[in-house]
Amino acid sequence: MDDETLSDPLLEVRQLSKTYVRGRWNSSGKSRVAALENVDLTILPGSAIALVGKSGSGKSTLARCLARLEEPDSGEVWFAGKDLLRLPYGELNRMRRGIQLVFQHSASAMNPRLTAAEIVAEPLQIQNQTTRREQRAQALTMMEQVGIPRGWSERRPLEFSGGQRQRLAIARALVLKPPLLILDEALAGLDLTTQMRIANLLLELRDSLSLSYLFISHDLQMAAYLAGTIAVMQLGRIVESSTARELLSNPRHAASRQLVGSIPKALACSDGD
Amino acid sequence: MSLRKGAPLAIAALLLCHAMVLFAGFFAPYSPEMQYRLLAFAPPTYIHFVDTQGRLHIRPFMYRWAPLPGSLSEFREDRNSIHPVHFFVPGGEYKILGLFASRMHLFGTDKQAPVFLIGTDAYGRDQFSRLLYGGRISLFTGLLAAAIAVALGLCLGGIAGYYGGLVDDAFMRGAEIFLAMPWLYLLLAVRAALPLHIAPEQAFVLLIAVLGVVGWARPARLIRGVVLSAKQREYVLAARGFGASDLYILRRHVLPQAFGVALNQAALYIPQFILAEVTLSFFGLGVSEPAPSWGNMLAGLQRYYVLESCWWMFAPAVALVAVLLAYYRMFSCYVLNTPRV
């Protein structure tokens, strides 16, 4: 893995915090949930980092804050030399191209009325790049790259299987050629064979497109397969961050030990070298 | 599949109906105000092909109505002379769509023997001509008022659902006020505030405005719900991640779903508002004489004599039922039952 190469970080998160406030605009008792507390995270160009943790530990919130789908309360997100949290609206929308997110539920992440080609071309359309014809051509090329035949471009998302749809989602996320791809539980809910195929696709794409990944999962083994570094989250904090091998063999924090301990034993043995 | 049966027929009938109403000047033989004072409550004219000598005529003809001796309201056919029905004849001047003057009528007879396809009313006015001219007001009140109500509902409901929070609360409380408002009495109040006699055009606009403005609340609530659920979909979030603006998201992902609901609402509102106009005009609150509307034509039936002996005066009611049925048929085939993925 090239995690150790000395270069400027692609993404640097400093002291990121986000608190959810529940309740309507006029309700008196509002409940507060701290989803992220002073999170620090660095992603180097061409590297892959996995973020693991139990449900509700803040993984998805972090992903959404990085893609600026949620507004963090405080902190800094440095990407390509700019603090994303302090950019004017117009520039932010251009910078967004650089960080793309793949959602867990591919079925609900795609408008069921649109065709596959329209879905993959949508980011290009929104960023208003080139002509319609060129947008479509780029979308079709990207679909082929993730293994969806050209002949399927007019199908609607619900006509695809879960695995094919997730490939489509990856194509859509990559069509703007972002340096960083965030996969938010993107393999969850797929069968093991399909998970493996898509994981290998991701590794191929990483090499061919020199991508960086932030891979969010609760599957520690898949995380270890895809990423060199694994960060463990608990209650909105990153409690441990180390190489995949070290985390699996020698987890230090209680949360990490719990995660490693919950890997089914038969698999843990075969994987433990 | 069987639900779609009859839909093309309903659409064809509606298109024909609206075309005839829009081009009433051409399809109607007379102006709606033209009176044949000696022919009040004349029954529909019989169209003949065979004369008293048993000869067959290729061109249809009619006999003139002549009052029975000593009566003003009972007629028999005067068989002394035949009056052929001509097509594409010049007659009284009218304006096509209010723009171009024309004298061409689809059919007509000579001046001594006016043709009344569905009889005449108390003033000897041709019911068929009045039915066509009156349809303009009745049918287009429904269409325009439904369009206003649904367009308002789409805008206000869309904004409330999309922006949520304070805006949503304010709009929806407003909608509740309108839902609670008894529109008949509101119309009475608005009508009372205006002078006793208002021009038919003003009455038409007033009807559309009141029905349309009061009707926005129900579609708004439904559309708000759709928008509320649509904006929380992950594909909306995804589009935002690609840098999409509010306008793009509304246009591409949110409103297309709301259109289905809006169409449904329009489908229910158009016949309902047509009926509302007819009801109001029946009670003299809508368009007033001498301008015809289906409602004020039916108002003639309030007299017992007419109700009992002039069956042709029910013609607007028959037309109304036919139009409403066609509307419901069309919508239940093409809007209500179409699965919208």
Side-chain angles (χ1 to χ4, degrees):
Chain A
M1 300 287 164
D2 46 4
D3 294 12
E4 310 300 325
T5 45
L6 288 169
S7 58
D8 286 339
L10 177 68
L11 179 90
E12 198 169 3
V13 179
R14 290 185 201 143
Q15 300 289 302
L16 197 69
S17 295
K18 167 78 185 173
T19 305
Y20 284 115
V21 181
R22 291 249 178 85
R24 292 171 60 78
W25 61 275
N26 55 356
S27 59
S28 49
K30 292 184 185 179
S31 63
R32 293 173 179 278
V33 182
L36 293 180
E37 275 187 273
N38 303 326
V39 170
D40 291 309
L41 185 73
T42 305
I43 301 179
L44 296 171
S47 72
I49 290 188
L51 204 57
V52 295
K54 289 198 286 189
S55 302
S57 58
K59 308 182 299 279
S60 289
T61 305
L62 181 58
R64 288 177 182 211
C65 282
L66 294 184
R68 282 302 298 275
L69 300 175
E70 301 263 7
E71 206 62 21
D73 298 331
S74 62
E76 295 168 15
V77 178
W78 288 89
F79 179 75
K82 288 188 172 144
D83 184 358
L84 290 186
L85 304 188
R86 279 157 196 84
L87 279 182
Y89 184 74
E91 201 173 343
L92 171 71
N93 274 345
R94 279 196 302 281
M95 290 295 287
R96 276 187 147 146
R97 299 171 45 182
I99 304 179
Q100 288 301 327
L101 190 68
V102 176
F103 293 88
Q104 173 179 1
H105 302 290
S106 55
S108 62
M110 292 174 192
N111 191 334
R113 293 156 181 269
L114 305 183
T115 64
E118 284 173 326
I119 285 170
V120 177
E122 191 184 15
L124 295 168
Q125 194 193 340
I126 290 172
Q127 290 285 337
N128 212 2
Q129 291 190 340
T130 70
T131 59
R132 278 287 163 96
R133 187 186 293 266
E134 179 60 22
Q135 288 170 7
R136 194 183 151 80
Q138 283 185 32
L140 290 179
T141 312
M142 189 44 83
M143 279 166 64
E144 275 187 332
Q145 214 166 342
V146 300
I148 305 244
R150 244 162 217 270
W152 295 3
S153 64
E154 296 311 307
R155 295 192 186 184
R156 317 247 161 207
L158 297 177
E159 295 173 61
F160 288 93
S161 73
Q164 290 164 345
R165 209 156 45 220
Q166 206 52 275
R167 284 171 191 266
L168 207 58
I170 291 168
R172 177 174 69 171
L174 291 179
V175 79
L176 286 172
K177 313 247 180 295
L180 177 61
L181 191 64
I182 303 173
L183 297 134
D184 187 1
E185 305 268 14
L187 301 184
L190 299 175
D191 63 75
L192 283 174
T193 328
T194 314
Q195 280 194 21
M196 212 53 211
R197 283 203 192 123
I198 292 186
N200 288 332
L201 169 73
L202 289 172
L203 290 176
E204 275 169 37
L205 289 171
R206 173 177 131 158
D207 293 338
S208 58
L209 302 174
S210 58
L211 284 170
S212 302
Y213 286 127
L214 179 61
F215 181 75
I216 294 173
S217 177
H218 47 244
D219 181 348
L220 205 52
Q221 294 205 301
M222 191 52 89
Y225 182 72
L226 276 168
T229 308
I230 297 181
V232 180
M233 276 194 89
Q234 188 193 30
L235 298 173
R237 292 167 181 277
I238 292 185
V239 291
E240 183 174 351
S241 179
S242 52
T243 62
R245 196 169 290 262
E246 192 177 329
L247 188 87
L248 282 176
S249 55
N250 183 25
R252 288 192 303 272
H253 193 273
S256 319
R257 277 200 294 277
Q258 203 182 352
L259 279 173
V260 173
S262 55
I263 296 176
K265 276 289 173 279
L267 290 172
C269 289
S270 67
D271 204 65
D273 224 11
Chain B
M1 207 55 210
S2 68
L3 272 168
R4 288 195 175 256
K5 266 189 197 160
L9 192 70
I11 290 172
L14 281 177
L15 281 178
L16 180 70
C17 191
H18 282 80
M20 283 179 76
V21 158
L22 261 182
F23 298 100
F26 171 70
F27 288 101
Y30 309 108
S31 124
E33 276 116 48
M34 166 89 100
Q35 300 183 2
Y36 293 90
R37 288 294 179 91
L38 293 174
L39 291 168
F41 291 126
T45 311
Y46 294 112
I47 304 294
H48 298 269
F49 287 92
V50 180
D51 63 19
T52 42
Q53 276 93 50
R55 271 183 309 192
L56 182 73
H57 293 243
I58 302 217
R59 178 173 290 284
F61 66 91
M62 53 165 286
Y63 297 112
R64 184 173 76 85
W65 284 125
L68 284 178
S71 168
L72 278 177
S73 58
E74 283 173 275
F75 303 90
R76 62 170 175 76
E77 284 185 317
D78 173 5
R79 304 214 164 184
N80 291 327
S81 60
I82 65 168
H83 302 273
V85 177
H86 293 279
F87 292 94
F88 301 103
V89 290
E93 189 171 295
Y94 62 90
K95 289 203 162 161
I96 301 170
L97 301 175
L99 294 173
F100 318 102
S102 170
R103 291 182 162 277
M104 184 64 81
H105 294 266
L106 178 63
F107 64 95
T109 52
D110 48 283
K111 282 218 165 64
Q112 292 81 39
V115 56
F116 305 123
L117 282 186
I118 43 177
T120 63
D121 66 4
Y123 302 98
R125 296 178 296 196
D126 178 33
Q127 278 262 97
F128 182 68
S129 302
R130 286 180 70 74
L131 190 72
L132 293 186
Y133 279 99
R136 278 187 183 172
I137 285 163
S138 301
L139 299 186
F140 287 95
T141 302
L143 275 176
L144 294 175
I148 291 176
V150 172
L152 275 176
L154 202 59
C155 290
L156 298 175
I159 292 170
Y162 193 75
Y163 291 103
L166 181 59
V167 182
D168 184 21
D169 272 12
F171 279 30
M172 286 304 109
R173 294 301 83 75
E176 278 158 22
I177 292 173
F178 276 90
L179 279 175
M181 199 174 287
W183 59 270
L184 182 62
Y185 301 100
L186 178 75
L187 192 72
L188 280 173
V190 176
R191 190 66 189 79
L194 292 169
L196 186 59
H197 287 290
I198 56 175
E201 297 82 24
Q202 289 173 315
F204 179 62
V205 172
L206 175 72
L207 271 176
I208 291 171
V210 171
L211 290 173
V213 169
V214 175
W216 71 272
R218 202 158 50 133
R221 284 187 74 100
L222 290 170
I223 284 157
R224 166 190 172 268
V226 174
V227 170
L228 211 56
S229 83
K231 77 160 183 179
Q232 285 162 346
R233 300 287 165 87
E234 276 186 337
Y235 55 77
V236 170
L237 210 57
R240 211 172 272 295
F242 308 136
S245 62
D246 281 354
L247 198 67
Y248 174 89
I249 289 173
L250 272 172
R251 189 169 50 88
R252 179 96 177 187
H253 294 302
V254 176
L255 287 182
Q257 304 205 20
F259 278 137
V261 177
L263 268 178
N264 264 315
Q265 278 299 302
L268 294 173
Y269 266 162
I270 293 171
Q272 192 183 323
F273 284 166
I274 291 176
L275 198 59
E277 184 282 327
V278 170
T279 311
L280 287 169
S281 295
F282 182 80
F283 289 119
L285 287 166
V287 178
S288 54
E289 293 273 356
S293 95
W294 291 0
N296 71 23
M297 287 171 74
L298 286 169
L301 294 172
Q302 288 169 3
R303 287 160 65 185
Y304 183 71
Y305 164 76
V306 178
L307 195 65
E308 190 193 39
S309 42
C310 303
W311 55 266
W312 57 91
M313 293 295 281
F314 284 93
V318 175
L320 181 68
V321 171
V323 165
L324 298 195
L325 271 179
Y327 262 116
Y328 282 127
R329 178 80 286 201
M330 176 177 85
F331 285 131
S332 59
C333 293
Y334 285 109
V335 181
L336 305 175
N337 291 303
T338 308
R340 298 187 163 265
V341 252

